Amino acid sequence: MSKKYIFVAGGVMSGVGKGTAAASIAKILQHKGYEITAVKIDPYINIDAGTMNPVEHGEVFVTNDGDETDQDVGSYERFLERPIPSGNYMTTGRVYLSVINRERALKYNGKCVEVVPHVPQEVIDRIKKAATANKADITIIEIGGTVGEYQNILFLEAARMMKLANPKDVLTILVSYLPIPKSVGEMKSKPTQYASRTLNETGLQADFILARSEEPVDEPRRRKLSVFCNIDPGSVISSPDVSSIYLVPALYEEQHLGEKILKKLHLKPKKDEMTDWINWANQIQTYNTEVKIGIIGKYFSTGSFVLSDVYISVIEAIKHAAWANNRKPVLTWLNSEDYEQDPKKVKELSNFDGIVIPGGFGNRGVEGKISAIKYIRENKIPYLGLCYGMQLATVEFARHVAGMKDANTTEINPKTTHPVIHIMPEQEKKLLALDYGGTMRLGAYPCILKEGTKSCDAYSPMLHASCSMLHVSERHRHRYEFNNQYREELEKAGLIIAGTSPDGKIVEIIELKNHPFFVASQFHPEFQSWPQTPHPLFRDFIKAAIK
Ligand code: GLN
């Protein structure tokens, strides 16, 4: 069969759940028996998401092959339950860079290289390459931003060119928003009508409109959208807010979206395996017993709003683990700077069943995190530290247990007499050369576990072998690491090195004795937690939190 492509574009405004929509469409088609992959296009100039402030951009999702991508790539992985490679992610910067490099290498054979068609052609080449690399029958391509923005025009142009070349193999889905203004009390369809027209201006016609709103779309609105957006009423898919993103595939399936898409692509369902996922997604709504988890971070506030998107994979991983333990996850954002202004405030940590300190950079809020870790250690609150959360746990232990008063990471204090966390040698060169973009220690690296540790206990059911025999593979994003000069001294003081790189040189996991659960990893386990298969460290952290 010829390869099929589905473009997902947004209408009216950002933040309506285009990523979840794309991932859910991918899921339902996967369960109809097709090989599916998903591509994310971000319209900004940055080569990757790694150089952007998280508050501005949201989470940087790291792939196995070490790409720093958009959080939507994480959604695709979680819904498709398989890794997405770097080739499935592109930005305007990446696309232009290839075109320019090719021009410099004389690969355009002396032709005048133009924005159109050469730039959209590069986009098309990349999409097709991703489809081939993933052996995908159907590729979902999510175009970042909303229609009508200047920035994503060339990507919509790529979609138009692909549709023109193979009309039977390419679909366009518009995920649009229908507001219900309080003062009016009625769902308004006009912004979506405009979005649909704007899409038409690019030469594309929506094959489906996913009508995002607080409420389901009713008949009068469906008819209006049908007439004004030039679409049959059955292709308007009602997509009201639901309590969990994992319910969205079920919502689509109730409206037979999978079959309708396949029909328009001239395909038939090969099987129908959605029931298991739908049952699970309904089941997790029924858990009433809570597990209360606090997440200590600093990237939460933007103006008067709280932005938890920065830690989206961490949040999802906690949820997956809670559900696997038949619990309802209740998450609270804790700002580490509060513990600096008011040290007594750390006592609030006793109100939680467990605490997570996720990754981070720079010195804002660091001393607050260290005070929190001290309290967590002393009061035996289950703790999971991720990357910076591991490095700062090492600093805390060195300071307060091993007696190294000014211990620190050199990221914060390059002059400390006890640099228990220091820059990795190859990273130092990169920083001196101002070579910042995409140069951290990134992507999957193997880790071996020590027998008899909590980490070993967590992973071993998955490994079916003794820990010292097998490697686990985990994803990384860091420049600093545990300083091996302090290994002996810290181990003597009671720190457990529970995981290292296979050559033993890089400390990957630390643990504490005499504590219900104190595990902190240099890697980011949250990037490999799947809804029905939680990450073992998160699963056991929640288990301990419940106890
Ligand atoms: N800032 C630390 C480092 O660069 C931790 C990074 C992280 O938490 N992702 O090593």
Side-chain angles (χ1 to χ4, degrees):
M1 86 179 234
S2 53
K3 290 198 179 296
K4 309 285 183 178
Y5 301 91
I6 302 173
F7 286 88
V8 176
V12 179
M13 64 180 201
S14 66
V16 296
K18 203 153 31 83
T20 302
S24 301
I25 293 166
K27 187 78 212 168
I28 56 176
L29 296 176
Q30 181 187 49
H31 278 181
K32 299 261 181 255
Y34 286 94
E35 270 313 311
I36 309 293
T37 198
V39 168
K40 175 72 198 275
I41 299 179
D42 271 332
Y44 41 69
I45 302 283
N46 304 58
I47 298 291
D48 54 47
T51 53
M52 273 179 276
N53 182 334
V55 176
E56 207 156 297
H57 172 266
E59 174 183 85
V60 176
F61 185 82
V62 181
T63 59
N64 269 335
D65 51 5
D67 202 0
E68 296 174 286
T69 72
D70 182 76
Q71 62 185 55
D72 288 326
V73 175
S75 291
Y76 309 156
E77 287 206 1
R78 287 188 281 272
F79 277 78
L80 287 172
E81 297 169 282
R82 68 179 53 163
I84 298 283
S86 163
N88 286 33
Y89 179 63
M90 72 181 100
T91 65
T92 296
R94 217 171 257 201
V95 169
Y96 269 86
L97 193 64
S98 316
V99 171
I100 291 167
N101 285 339
R102 192 171 306 129
E103 183 275 330
R104 292 288 78 184
L106 270 180
K107 297 242 172 84
Y108 287 103
N109 299 325
K111 282 217 177 84
C112 173
V113 183
E114 300 189 83
V115 170
V116 179
H118 294 107
V119 173
Q121 190 56 51
E122 167 67 21
V123 175
I124 293 169
D125 292 348
R126 282 170 174 261
I127 291 170
K128 290 189 170 169
K129 228 170 145 181
T132 307
N134 290 280
K135 298 191 177 66
D137 303 318
I138 307 174
T139 303
I140 320 281
I141 307 109
E142 180 189 348
I143 301 180
T146 38
V147 291
E149 272 171 41
Y150 187 74
Q151 289 207 83
N152 56 19
I153 285 176
L154 290 169
F155 300 112
L156 293 165
E157 176 65 5
R160 188 195 65 79
M161 285 164 70
M162 283 182 80
K163 176 87 183 174
L164 182 70
N166 298 88
K168 286 184 177 166
D169 297 336
V170 180
L171 294 187
T172 307
I173 297 183
L174 181 66
V175 183
S176 196
Y177 184 64
L178 288 91
I180 308 177
K182 261 203 201 108
S183 53
V184 185
E186 183 198 29
M187 183 187 288
K188 304 305 283 181
S189 67
K190 197 141 292 163
T192 292
Q193 295 174 31
Y194 285 133
S196 159
R197 279 227 176 128
T198 314
L199 186 67
N200 291 158
E201 279 168 23
T202 70
L204 291 166
Q205 162 68 44
D207 294 286
F208 293 94
I209 292 180
L210 302 189
R212 283 284 300 115
S213 188
E214 280 167 50
E215 301 288 333
V217 173
D218 58 359
E219 271 321 296
R221 245 70 35 178
R222 186 185 293 275
R223 277 199 301 276
K224 247 190 203 168
L225 288 175
S226 167
V227 171
F228 290 101
C229 304
N230 187 30
I231 191 168
D232 66 284
S235 298
V236 174
I237 304 296
S238 173
S239 190
D241 289 349
V242 280
S243 52
S244 162
I245 53 169
Y246 301 114
L247 287 168
V248 176
L251 186 72
Y252 292 170
E253 270 312 74
E254 279 164 25
Q255 301 171 73
H256 309 287
L257 179 60
E259 274 163 53
K260 289 177 181 172
I261 289 176
L262 290 181
K263 196 165 170 213
K264 286 199 185 184
L265 290 172
H266 307 274
L267 298 174
K268 287 201 171 79
K270 290 190 204 167
K271 49 185 170 188
D272 217 329
E273 290 180 338
M274 222 36 231
T275 327
D276 176 53
W277 175 282
I278 293 176
N279 288 346
W280 164 81
N282 286 320
Q283 172 79 23
I284 59 176
Q285 310 305 316
T286 63
Y287 300 134
N288 291 322
T289 319
E290 298 182 346
V291 57
K292 292 195 199 99
I293 304 297
I295 306 176
I296 307 180
K298 69 164 179 180
Y299 300 119
F300 289 130
S301 48
T302 146
S304 337
F305 300 94
V306 169
L307 186 96
S308 53
D309 264 16
V310 177
Y311 303 110
I312 190 78
S313 292
V314 176
I315 293 167
E316 292 307 312
I318 295 171
K319 289 183 185 169
H320 304 158
W323 293 325
N325 283 290
N326 304 335
R327 286 297 190 281
K328 175 183 180 174
V330 178
L331 308 184
T332 305
W333 320 123
L334 304 165
N335 189 340
S336 55
E337 284 170 293
D338 291 351
Y339 306 138
E340 292 172 5
Q341 279 141 24
D342 177 10
K344 275 194 235 107
K345 209 170 174 234
V346 287
K347 288 197 184 132
E348 72 178 4
L349 298 176
S350 298
N351 301 331
F352 298 97
D353 300 317
I355 300 288
V356 175
I357 298 191
F361 295 85
N363 59 2
R364 190 160 60 83
V366 155
E367 287 303 326
K369 286 183 191 171
I370 294 173
S371 311
I373 295 169
K374 182 168 187 281
Y375 189 84
I376 288 162
R377 180 177 52 76
E378 290 174 345
N379 292 279
K380 304 207 186 298
I381 302 167
Y383 175 67
L384 186 62
L386 312 170
C387 204
Y388 218 14
M390 172 270 197
Q391 297 177 352
L392 298 176
T394 308
V395 170
E396 192 282 322
F397 186 87
R399 280 188 196 174
H400 305 122
V401 181
M404 307 172 193
K405 275 213 174 79
D406 81 328
N408 216 328
T409 156
T410 55
E411 180 173 354
I412 304 302
N413 179 9
K415 295 204 179 97
T416 170
T417 52
H418 295 293
V420 289
I421 302 292
H422 67 168
I423 189 129
M424 307 183 84
E426 62 278 19
Q427 289 294 332
E428 191 159 26
K429 288 179 215 141
K430 288 171 185 160
L431 291 191
L432 286 172
L434 303 182
D435 182 10
Y436 294 116
T439 61
M440 283 187 238
R441 179 170 179 250
L442 287 168
Y445 286 92
C447 163
I448 47 170
L449 305 165
K450 189 172 176 171
E451 293 292 341
T453 59
K454 292 208 171 70
S455 306
C456 170
D457 287 349
Y459 281 100
S460 57
M462 188 173 103
L463 298 174
H464 308 291
S466 71
C467 284
S468 53
M469 301 287 294
L470 280 167
H471 297 170
V472 297
S473 171
E474 293 286 0
R475 299 186 195 172
H476 298 72
R477 182 170 186 253
H478 63 119
R479 290 192 200 280
Y480 295 80
E481 65 171 341
F482 188 105
N483 183 348
N484 284 325
Q485 282 183 352
Y486 288 90
R487 202 141 141 186
E488 223 185 291
E489 206 176 336
L490 292 176
E491 278 186 297
K492 247 188 223 150
L495 191 77
I496 302 167
I497 310 288
T500 65
S501 54
D503 64 5
K505 285 187 183 151
I506 300 175
V507 172
E508 290 281 9
I509 311 176
I510 61 162
E511 292 185 11
L512 291 185
K513 286 181 204 141
N514 308 322
H515 191 287
F517 192 94
F518 193 108
V519 177
S521 64
Q522 180 57 76
F523 52 77
H524 290 270
E526 69 271 22
F527 293 140
Q528 295 197 98
S529 175
W530 291 340
Q532 293 174 287
T533 328
H535 190 282
L537 291 182
F538 277 90
R539 186 200 59 219
D540 280 15
F541 161 66
I542 295 291
K543 229 186 247 171
I546 291 168
K547 269 193 198 152

